Protein backbone atom coordinates (compact mmCIF):
# COMPACT_ATOMS: atom_id res chain seq x y z
CA UNK A 1 0.00 0.00 0.00
CA UNK A 2 2.83 2.41 0.68
CA UNK A 3 3.88 1.97 -2.95
CA UNK A 4 0.54 3.36 -4.11
CA UNK A 5 0.70 6.13 -1.54
CA UNK A 6 3.70 7.64 -3.34
CA UNK A 7 1.40 8.81 -6.14
CA UNK A 8 -1.28 10.21 -3.84
CA UNK A 9 1.34 12.04 -1.77
CA UNK A 10 2.92 13.41 -4.96
CA UNK A 11 -0.40 14.78 -6.21
CA UNK A 12 -1.31 16.21 -2.82
CA UNK A 13 2.04 17.93 -2.35
CA UNK A 14 2.09 19.38 -5.86
CA UNK A 15 -1.40 20.81 -5.50
CA UNK A 16 -1.10 22.01 -1.90
CA UNK A 17 2.41 23.41 -1.56
CA UNK A 18 2.44 25.30 -4.85
CA UNK A 19 -1.07 26.72 -4.52
CA UNK A 20 -0.09 29.71 -2.35
CA UNK A 21 2.47 31.19 -4.77
CA UNK A 22 0.10 30.69 -7.71
CA UNK A 23 -2.75 32.50 -5.96
CA UNK A 24 -0.31 34.96 -4.33
CA UNK A 25 -1.71 34.39 -0.89
CA UNK A 26 1.75 33.52 0.46
CA UNK A 27 2.53 37.22 0.91
CA UNK A 28 -0.48 37.57 3.19
CA UNK A 29 0.45 34.46 5.16
CA UNK A 30 4.05 35.61 5.65
CA UNK A 31 2.80 39.08 6.73
CA UNK A 32 1.04 37.51 9.74
CA UNK A 33 2.90 36.81 13.00
CA UNK A 34 3.29 33.15 12.01
CA UNK A 35 6.97 32.41 11.45
CA UNK A 36 8.06 30.79 8.21
CA UNK A 37 9.44 27.75 10.04
CA UNK A 38 6.19 27.17 11.91
CA UNK A 39 4.19 27.58 8.72
CA UNK A 40 6.37 25.14 6.76
CA UNK A 41 6.37 22.58 9.58
CA UNK A 42 2.59 22.63 9.83
CA UNK A 43 2.32 22.21 6.05
CA UNK A 44 4.61 19.16 6.10
CA UNK A 45 2.87 17.71 9.16
CA UNK A 46 -0.58 18.14 7.63
CA UNK A 47 0.47 16.59 4.32
CA UNK A 48 2.12 13.64 6.08
CA UNK A 49 -0.98 13.22 8.24
CA UNK A 50 -3.23 13.11 5.18
CA UNK A 51 -0.96 10.55 3.52
CA UNK A 52 -0.83 8.39 6.65
CA UNK A 53 -4.57 8.71 7.20
CA UNK A 54 -5.27 7.44 3.69
CA UNK A 55 -3.11 4.38 4.39
CA UNK A 56 -4.75 3.88 7.78
CA UNK A 57 -8.20 3.86 6.19
CA UNK A 58 -7.03 1.28 3.64
CA UNK A 59 -5.56 -0.93 6.39
CA UNK A 60 -8.76 -0.59 8.43
CA UNK A 61 -10.68 -1.74 5.35
CA UNK A 62 -8.43 -4.77 5.02
CA UNK A 63 -8.94 -5.58 8.69
CA UNK A 64 -12.73 -5.24 8.42
CA UNK A 65 -12.75 -7.40 5.30
CA UNK A 66 -10.95 -10.10 7.25
CA UNK A 67 -13.42 -9.87 10.12
CA UNK A 68 -16.47 -9.84 7.85
CA UNK A 69 -15.25 -12.67 5.62
CA UNK A 70 -17.87 -15.23 4.74
CA UNK A 71 -15.41 -18.05 5.30
CA UNK A 72 -15.36 -20.12 8.49
CA UNK A 73 -12.64 -19.19 10.98
CA UNK A 74 -10.70 -22.44 10.50
CA UNK A 75 -10.17 -21.65 6.79
CA UNK A 76 -8.82 -18.12 7.19
CA UNK A 77 -6.95 -18.47 10.47
CA UNK A 78 -6.71 -16.19 13.42
CA UNK A 79 -6.42 -12.46 13.18
CA UNK A 80 -5.36 -9.68 15.48
CA UNK A 81 -5.50 -5.95 14.99
CA UNK A 82 -1.76 -5.66 15.69
CA UNK A 83 -1.02 -7.77 12.60
CA UNK A 84 -2.40 -4.85 10.61
CA UNK A 85 -1.40 -1.90 12.79
CA UNK A 86 2.25 -2.84 13.38
CA UNK A 87 3.31 -2.88 9.69
CA UNK A 88 1.38 0.35 9.20
CA UNK A 89 3.36 2.04 11.97
CA UNK A 90 6.76 0.44 11.37
CA UNK A 91 6.92 0.31 7.57
CA UNK A 92 4.30 2.65 6.10
CA UNK A 93 4.63 5.64 8.45
CA UNK A 94 8.37 6.15 7.81
CA UNK A 95 7.76 5.77 4.06
CA UNK A 96 5.05 8.43 4.16
CA UNK A 97 7.28 10.78 6.14
CA UNK A 98 10.23 10.23 3.79
CA UNK A 99 8.19 10.76 0.62
CA UNK A 100 6.46 13.82 2.05
CA UNK A 101 9.75 15.39 3.12
CA UNK A 102 11.43 14.77 -0.24
CA UNK A 103 8.49 16.01 -2.29
CA UNK A 104 7.87 19.10 -0.12
CA UNK A 105 11.56 19.98 -0.33
CA UNK A 106 11.48 19.64 -4.09
CA UNK A 107 8.35 21.80 -4.29
CA UNK A 108 9.86 24.56 -2.15
CA UNK A 109 13.26 24.47 -3.83
CA UNK A 110 12.07 24.46 -7.43
CA UNK A 111 8.57 25.93 -7.20
CA UNK A 112 7.69 23.78 -10.21
CA UNK A 113 4.89 21.19 -10.29
CA UNK A 114 6.61 19.21 -13.04
CA UNK A 115 9.69 18.71 -10.86
CA UNK A 116 7.48 17.48 -8.01
CA UNK A 117 5.83 14.96 -10.35
CA UNK A 118 9.22 13.84 -11.70
CA UNK A 119 10.49 13.45 -8.14
CA UNK A 120 7.47 11.30 -7.29
CA UNK A 121 8.16 9.06 -10.27
CA UNK A 122 11.84 8.83 -9.29
CA UNK A 123 10.85 7.80 -5.75
CA UNK A 124 8.62 5.12 -7.27
CA UNK A 125 11.50 3.90 -9.45
CA UNK A 126 13.78 3.82 -6.39
CA UNK A 127 11.13 1.77 -4.57
CA UNK A 128 10.88 -0.74 -7.43
CA UNK A 129 14.68 -0.93 -7.74
CA UNK A 130 14.87 -1.63 -4.03
CA UNK A 131 12.32 -4.40 -4.48
CA UNK A 132 14.36 -5.99 -7.24
CA UNK A 133 17.65 -5.93 -5.35
CA UNK A 134 16.15 -7.06 -2.05
CA UNK A 135 14.52 -10.15 -3.58
CA UNK A 136 11.10 -8.82 -2.73
CA UNK A 137 8.05 -10.98 -3.30
CA UNK A 138 6.53 -7.89 -4.93
CA UNK A 139 8.64 -8.58 -8.02
CA UNK A 140 8.00 -12.00 -9.50
CA UNK A 141 10.96 -13.90 -10.85
CA UNK A 142 13.72 -12.07 -9.02
CA UNK A 143 16.80 -14.14 -8.38
CA UNK A 144 17.89 -14.49 -4.77
CA UNK A 145 20.55 -11.96 -3.91
CA UNK A 146 23.70 -13.02 -2.12
CA UNK A 147 23.70 -12.49 1.67
CA UNK A 148 26.44 -9.87 1.34
CA UNK A 149 24.51 -7.91 -1.28
CA UNK A 150 21.31 -8.09 0.76
CA UNK A 151 23.15 -6.84 3.85
CA UNK A 152 24.59 -3.86 1.97
CA UNK A 153 21.29 -2.95 0.38
CA UNK A 154 19.46 -3.41 3.70
CA UNK A 155 21.67 -0.69 5.13
CA UNK A 156 21.16 1.62 2.15
CA UNK A 157 17.43 1.16 1.51
CA UNK A 158 15.54 4.25 2.74
CA UNK A 159 12.19 2.44 2.62
CA UNK A 160 13.17 -0.39 4.97
CA UNK A 161 11.98 -3.13 2.63
CA UNK A 162 15.41 -4.64 2.04
CA UNK A 163 16.10 -4.71 5.78
CA UNK A 164 12.79 -6.44 6.40
CA UNK A 165 13.38 -9.09 3.74
CA UNK A 166 16.99 -9.56 4.85
CA UNK A 167 15.88 -10.24 8.44
CA UNK A 168 13.02 -12.58 7.51
CA UNK A 169 14.48 -14.55 4.60
CA UNK A 170 15.20 -17.65 6.71
CA UNK A 171 11.88 -17.71 8.51
CA UNK A 172 9.66 -20.70 7.92
CA UNK A 173 6.11 -20.27 6.62
CA UNK A 174 4.80 -20.88 10.14
CA UNK A 175 7.04 -18.17 11.58
CA UNK A 176 6.01 -15.72 8.87
CA UNK A 177 2.36 -16.31 9.62
CA UNK A 178 2.60 -16.14 13.41
CA UNK A 179 5.33 -13.64 14.27
Amino acid sequence: LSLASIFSITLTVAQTILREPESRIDAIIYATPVSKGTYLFTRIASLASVGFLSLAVAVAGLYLAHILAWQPGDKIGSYAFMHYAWPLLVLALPNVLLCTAILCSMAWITGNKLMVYVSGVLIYILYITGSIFSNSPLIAGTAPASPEAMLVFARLDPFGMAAFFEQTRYWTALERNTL
Side-chain angles (χ1 to χ4, degrees):
L1 286 176
S2 62
L3 182 62
S5 73
I6 293 172
F7 293 117
S8 65
I9 291 170
T10 301
L11 294 172
T12 306
V13 167
Q15 295 301 319
T16 305
I17 297 296
L18 298 175
R19 184 180 313 145
E20 283 86 15
E22 287 176 356
S23 62
R24 297 190 178 139
I25 198 158
D26 56 343
I28 296 171
I29 293 172
Y30 294 139
T32 63
V34 175
S35 69
K36 193 171 188 175
T38 303
Y39 172 71
L40 296 179
F41 174 76
T42 56
R43 297 297 281 181
I44 289 177
S46 64
L47 288 168
S49 298
V50 167
F52 181 72
L53 184 62
S54 67
L55 279 175
V57 168
V59 168
L62 291 172
Y63 179 71
L64 286 174
H66 192 91
I67 290 174
L68 300 174
W70 297 101
Q71 299 291 326
D74 59 339
K75 289 192 178 194
I76 58 175
S78 65
Y79 59 91
F81 180 72
M82 285 307 295
H83 294 160
Y84 294 88
W86 187 253
L88 179 69
L89 294 174
V90 173
L91 295 174
L93 179 61
N95 289 346
V96 167
L97 293 174
L98 176 71
C99 291
T100 304
I102 291 171
L103 293 170
C104 285
S105 298
M106 188 59 67
W108 286 318
I109 289 170
T110 64
N112 188 345
K113 283 186 183 180
L114 181 62
M115 289 305 296
V116 176
Y117 295 135
V118 168
S119 299
V121 170
L122 289 176
I123 291 171
Y124 183 81
I125 290 170
L126 178 66
Y127 201 104
I128 294 297
T129 304
S131 297
I132 291 170
F133 286 115
S134 65
N135 195 26
S136 169
L138 299 173
I139 307 296
T142 57
S146 68
E148 296 83 19
M150 282 192 73
L151 182 63
V152 168
F153 200 73
R155 291 181 179 159
L156 297 176
D157 182 17
F159 298 106
M161 287 180 14
F164 175 76
F165 292 127
E166 193 268 332
Q167 289 294 311
T168 59
R169 68 180 163 187
Y170 296 117
W171 286 10
T172 64
L174 180 63
E175 289 173 328
R176 289 182 186 186
N177 290 330
T178 58
L179 297 177

